[in-house]
Amino acid sequence: MEEQMVWLRAAQKGDKASFGHLVTAHQDRLLRVAWGILGNRHDAEDVVQETFVKAYLALDQLKELKAFGGWLLRIVVNQSISRKKKPERLWLELDKAEGRHHDMEGPGRRLEEAEEKKQLAVAMSQLSPSHRAVLILREQELLSYEEISDVLGLPVGTVRSRLSYGRQKLREIFLALETQGLEGKGI
Amino acid sequence: MNCEKYRKKISALVDGELNDKERQIVERHLEVCPSCRLLEAELTRLQLQCRSLWKETEPGEDLSVKVMEELAGKKKRRVLPPFSRRIKYLMAVMVLAVAGMVAAGMGWHPVLRGIWKGLGQFLFIPLLMVRDRIWLAEMLGGAIILVLAGLWFWMRKRGREGAEE
């Protein structure tokens, strides 16, 4: 953390190499968040790149150096939300990814899990980006409501209601997809 | 039973984000309401599924090289000072302008003096009520013209810097 403060101070003075260290330190987290909101890796990488460029150019605006991580998250979430969405690619990528994981598990369970994940991803892609954003920050980054409120600049009550609405909507879509899947199998 | 107000809180209950009082109220309702209990169970299950959905995101290639390439040739944006400081700058400019005019005395060009007096009188109508304070109107009018001219030059400079970026 102390090391990051040193890089940050140097970057504020225009040292691009120090900023490069910060990029390496934060890129995976930002990529996860952008990927979660946008649904595909290619767009997520573009957004993360844009986020870092934007952050570097506006680095002087950051007064609280300790808030750097949250500040980056806010930029990446806003950039992701404002970007044109391509939800249909969300589950296709997950589908491809399945082969790389769970190789040690039984094939039946693996298929079941893969199906479940695919349905969940499809359901996620049908939520609005702003609802997806709060869900990603909560479920993936495990932020508290207070932290999400800081990152998104929203009141805690709004975070709470967006999460509640998002989850209930997700549940409805997910259940509908499950039912369709069972009907498709003739069960 | 009206469950709607409880259903809205079940998500926060699953997250452990309700205060003690709210939690007790919702939990008491769950004891007597099977449909809300089902919702709680499903939201808990959904939470676990969501958490496992993205955990497999593989780390990407190091973006620092691409970001550095993008940044090459880009200058850091000059940031406007905070609003309160800008107001202070503006006040300082106005005080300096007024002081400058007082120092210049009353012997300036009659045309310029006429413009300044006209603007000052126009903007500070109450001053017209007191004839012997006309000089104050002239000074304020002049100060406004100077401040506007200064702001115009400053904004043009900012605009050029923005275009360079």
Side-chain angles (χ1 to χ4, degrees):
Chain A
M1 195 65 187
E2 195 47 48
E3 201 177 29
Q4 284 202 26
M5 292 295 124
V6 175
W7 291 334
L8 204 44
R9 277 187 213 106
Q12 277 189 323
K13 288 175 191 158
D15 181 0
K16 287 179 182 165
S18 294
F19 191 72
H21 294 308
L22 291 167
V23 172
T24 310
H26 288 271
Q27 62 173 6
D28 287 346
R29 186 187 200 199
L30 297 195
L31 185 67
R32 277 199 312 266
V33 172
W35 195 346
I37 298 171
L38 289 163
N40 73 84
R41 181 173 202 129
H42 180 73
D43 286 352
E45 281 186 350
D46 283 352
V47 160
V48 172
Q49 206 173 318
E50 284 164 20
T51 297
F52 281 121
V53 171
K54 212 172 173 177
Y56 178 78
L57 294 176
L59 211 51
D60 290 342
Q61 285 175 10
L62 184 71
K63 299 293 167 219
E64 280 271 340
L65 297 192
K66 283 181 183 163
F68 181 63
W71 185 63
L72 282 179
L73 267 183
R74 180 189 281 218
I75 302 176
V76 86
V77 168
N78 289 339
Q79 294 277 104
S80 306
I81 288 176
S82 60
R83 198 177 174 91
K84 200 176 175 296
K85 274 75 59 186
K86 294 172 183 167
E88 71 279 6
R89 286 166 67 175
L90 183 70
W91 63 273
L92 290 175
E93 285 202 0
L94 276 169
D95 198 26
K96 281 182 231 154
E98 286 312 317
R100 296 198 295 267
H101 304 288
H102 314 299
D103 284 346
M104 304 304 286
E105 295 171 25
R109 175 71 196 134
R110 203 172 65 201
L111 274 175
E112 202 180 298
E113 263 189 26
E115 187 60 30
E116 229 175 54
K117 280 190 177 178
K118 196 192 283 183
Q119 284 171 348
L120 185 59
V122 173
M124 278 285 247
S125 71
Q126 290 180 28
L127 290 181
S128 74
S130 54
H131 285 102
R132 254 195 327 256
V134 280
L135 270 168
I136 297 294
L137 292 177
R138 174 67 203 168
E139 308 299 21
Q140 182 184 274
E141 297 306 308
L142 305 177
L143 299 188
S144 69
Y145 286 16
E146 191 79 42
E147 288 167 327
I148 298 173
S149 130
D150 283 345
V151 167
L152 298 180
L154 294 171
V156 174
T158 308
V159 172
R160 189 202 267 206
S161 58
R162 276 196 193 172
L163 270 171
S164 174
Y165 175 85
R167 280 176 174 149
Q168 294 204 40
K169 192 83 192 155
L170 198 59
R171 170 179 167 260
E172 280 171 27
I173 303 168
F174 191 50
L175 288 178
L177 288 169
E178 261 188 346
T179 314
Q180 275 175 20
L182 290 177
E183 280 168 2
K185 286 173 191 164
I187 300 171
Chain B
M1 196 180 298
N2 177 17
C3 293
E4 202 42 47
K5 65 175 179 178
Y6 299 105
R7 293 176 88 85
K8 283 181 180 168
K9 290 183 177 172
I10 290 176
S11 158
L13 177 78
V14 170
D15 285 329
E17 291 269 357
L18 288 182
N19 63 39
D20 284 349
K21 195 178 164 196
E22 283 178 311
R23 185 174 48 78
Q24 281 167 11
I25 293 170
V26 177
E27 280 176 349
R28 235 176 285 143
H29 173 75
L30 290 181
E31 281 169 19
V32 294
C33 180
S35 102
C36 286
R37 251 196 333 267
L38 179 66
L39 178 66
E40 188 214 4
E42 281 176 353
L43 289 191
T44 308
R45 191 185 112 195
L46 203 58
Q47 185 176 59
L48 293 173
Q49 286 172 323
C50 282
R51 286 181 183 183
S52 70
L53 181 65
W54 300 109
K55 72 177 181 192
E56 289 156 358
T57 307
E58 287 173 6
E61 55 171 318
D62 192 350
L63 288 178
S64 62
V65 179
K66 281 185 183 171
V67 173
M68 289 302 115
E69 279 170 10
E70 188 84 9
L71 285 178
K74 288 208 178 196
K75 278 191 284 180
K76 270 208 294 183
R77 192 175 302 151
R78 262 190 63 207
V79 178
L80 282 175
F83 187 70
S84 58
R85 214 184 299 162
R86 267 180 276 166
I87 291 290
K88 280 183 200 160
Y89 289 157
L90 211 59
M91 294 285 281
V93 170
M94 283 188 88
V95 168
L96 281 175
V98 171
M101 274 178 292
V102 169
M106 303 294 284
W108 48 47
H109 194 278
V111 175
L112 194 62
R113 194 174 155 190
I115 296 172
W116 290 11
K117 187 165 91 178
L119 186 69
Q121 282 178 337
F122 173 71
L123 291 173
F124 299 93
I125 291 163
L127 292 172
L128 286 171
M129 314 293 276
V130 190
R131 300 292 302 173
D132 61 348
R133 285 198 189 158
I134 266 321
W135 61 272
L136 191 58
E138 287 173 7
M139 283 199 308
L140 288 168
I144 289 162
I145 289 172
L146 286 179
V147 168
L148 289 177
L151 277 175
W152 185 67
F153 278 113
W154 182 59
M155 284 168 77
R156 271 190 58 185
K157 192 165 172 280
R158 285 276 308 161
R160 272 203 301 272
E161 279 172 4
E164 279 166 15
E165 281 169 11

